[in-house]
Amino acid sequence: MILLSILLFKTGLAFTLFLITLGIAAYSTYFERKVAAFMQDRVGPNRAGPLGLLQPIADGVKMIFKEEHRPTGSNRILFILGPSIAMLTALMTTAVVPWGKTITIGGTAYSLQVADINVGILYVFGVVSLGVYGILIGGWSSNNKYSLLGAVRASSQMISYELAMGLSIIPIILGSSSLQLSDIVTSQYEVWNIFKYPLGFLIFLICAFAETNRTPFDLPECETELVGGYHTEYTSMKLGFFLFSEYVNMFASSAVISTLFFGGYHFPGMSLFPEGIAAILGIAVLFGKIIFFIFFFMWIRWTIPRFRYDQLMHLGWQVLMPMAILLIVIYGAIFSFI
Amino acid sequence: MQLTNRSKQVSNKEMTFSERMYLPAIAGGLRVTFSHMFKKSATVQYPEQVREHSAVFRGQHVLKRDAEGRENCTACGLCAVACPAEAITIVAEERKKGEEHLYREEKYAAVYDINMLRCIFCGLCEEACPKDAIYLTDRIVTSNYERADFIFHKEDLVEAVALEGRIDITKRKKDK
Ligand code: SF4
Ligand code: SF4
């Protein structure tokens, strides 16, 4: 009976999470355009609905009703598989993020996490690296040299930064002696990880930008050199999936950043509130942090220009990687002496 | 020569270590973009809000009528000759008996076309006209899908007979 109710709860949670992710991603597109407009002293979308709030829906409808086109000589199955993988992997990441404190209803403890697997953070990295396949397959199956070049460029960028990203969180894993995200969050009850590992955070943040293909690392799409990048040949909703998965990824990485470095659902003075209220406030706080990071992604986008490709590789391999390794050595020494 | 006080001396000296960190510069950039979030936007919400043109704005042409509603143009062709873009086509006709209330002179333009795609809105036609007939107004030439729709015929150019349909060109007449 308890097992059934937990199962039901998890299914409901997964479904809610799915809807929330899609909703936030959809409204990030709107938010992005608004932020861009404000930063450039413009107004932004304001025609569809009050304040332009229906804009994402209008965009979606437009995307769906656009003409579908598949280039001749392209691989039919892989051409469809590309955007599907990109979207699927983007949506899978958030499954292991703990969204709040465990809540107890009628004697049963429900954890606000779809799957609390003991290799949580590895799962995140595994799923994120699968996202490369979406882009590479999409670019390759288009039967277009520019798409292929764009895809190769995108995937090599993502792979390069994945390494530094993985290394940058090893101090955290050492510190909390667990790969489980729920443990990492609870270990930040007193001090958030950002204060313990500021440099690690910086590396992680930069890599997160590169992983989500956001400016200044948005090399995969480049109109001046590669026509459009890996999605040159994509039209209609298939293109929509590629673009949309970027926003889903942005949401997911904001969630992961908040969880790893900003104490997840913890907030200062949490112990002052009674159990239940603290749990609910925690969820709100986590979403607040996530929204801040989504804003931060956009903020950076309208501030910093794009990297040159060799600079990008230089930064990834010759700056971030050694720095991350050095951090591991330093923190390793610290942890073994105390 | 210095046009603003915001220009910076450029040099290609080696960057110092703190400059090569880029992070302070990025933080500075973030501060600048963030401050723009709260500035007044420069947007003009066009269809609802129309920006006023300056007095010397040169838009779509009008062929004027005189106080009695007769067309001023006498099809002398000076405007077509003056036009550097050769945008104006005129076919002249003689005024018949009983048409005195339509045309002011004995000769009038039966066809008066301006190709708005060729016109560069220089206003030389207006300068050339000896009869006060053609003026450039503050109206904007509307967009179209077909090239042919950009050839404006006489009915698009001549102003209405009724007084309220007349187009005000006093701003352009000032120096004449
Ligand atoms: S404005 Fe200039 S280019 Fe246009 S019709 Fe008159 S003379 Fe020609
Ligand atoms: S508009 Fe003026 S210049 Fe042109 S033909 Fe008529 S009278 Fe002559």
Side-chain angles (χ1 to χ4, degrees), chain B:
Chain B
M1 188 181 63
Q2 214 177 18
L3 292 175
T4 66
N5 55 3
R6 291 191 298 186
S7 62
K8 282 214 175 88
Q9 192 73 41
V10 287
S11 76
N12 56 355
K13 72 166 169 54
E14 286 280 301
M15 284 193 284
T16 62
F17 180 73
S18 73
E19 279 171 342
R20 261 188 295 130
M21 289 289 293
Y22 295 114
L23 291 175
I26 289 173
L30 287 174
R31 202 177 49 81
V32 170
T33 39
F34 194 72
S35 72
H36 276 265
M37 295 269 298
F38 309 102
K39 292 213 171 122
K40 219 176 136 276
S41 76
T43 310
V44 176
Q45 304 271 346
Y46 171 58
E48 293 95 42
Q49 202 184 336
V50 182
R51 201 148 95 191
E52 215 178 296
H53 296 306
S54 77
V56 291
F57 180 84
R58 297 194 290 252
Q60 188 190 318
H61 313 64
V62 63
L63 286 171
K64 294 296 290 180
R65 294 175 185 279
D66 69 2
E68 287 146 51
R70 302 174 297 185
E71 284 176 22
N72 277 350
C73 176
T74 182
C76 66
L78 283 178
C79 52
V81 175
C83 178
E86 301 193 357
I88 302 178
T89 309
I90 300 168
V91 174
E93 198 105 335
E94 201 178 330
R95 186 179 68 186
K96 304 268 161 34
K97 266 233 147 44
E99 284 181 341
E100 286 83 1
H101 64 290
L102 291 177
Y103 314 110
R104 202 171 61 178
E105 314 280 336
E106 293 86 72
K107 201 171 79 171
Y108 70 95
V111 173
Y112 195 109
D113 290 353
I114 301 181
N115 186 340
M116 291 297 176
L117 289 175
R118 304 200 67 172
C119 176
I120 53 171
F121 301 95
C122 60
L124 290 184
C125 45
E126 171 187 311
E127 305 242 337
C129 182
K131 295 289 177 191
D132 256 7
I134 191 162
Y135 281 99
L136 274 68
T137 62
D138 58 357
R139 288 176 301 168
I140 294 169
V141 176
T142 47
S143 50
N144 265 315
Y145 288 104
E146 308 289 336
R147 296 185 73 83
D149 293 340
F150 280 104
I151 297 175
F152 280 44
H153 303 296
K154 209 171 146 185
E155 60 268 25
D156 309 314
L157 297 166
V158 184
E159 65 180 345
V161 184
L163 271 179
E164 56 269 23
R166 296 294 178 86
I167 289 153
D168 179 26
I169 42 91
T170 43
K171 275 184 198 158
R172 303 198 60 78
K173 268 188 126 169
K174 232 173 255 169
D175 53 357
K176 289 211 168 171

Side-chain angles (χ1 to χ4, degrees), chain A residues 35 38-39 41-43 46-47 202 295-296 299-300 302-304, chain B residues 23 26 29-30 33-34 36-37 39-43 45 47-48:
Chain A
V35 168
F38 290 147
M39 289 193 171
D41 301 341
R42 295 188 282 113
V43 174
N46 66 348
R47 296 284 140 165
L202 199 64
F295 170 73
F296 188 71
W299 188 4
I300 289 277
W302 301 106
T303 305
I304 308 176
Chain B
L23 291 175
I26 289 173
L30 287 174
T33 39
F34 194 72
H36 276 265
M37 295 269 298
K39 292 213 171 122
K40 219 176 136 276
S41 76
T43 310
Q45 304 271 346
E48 293 95 42

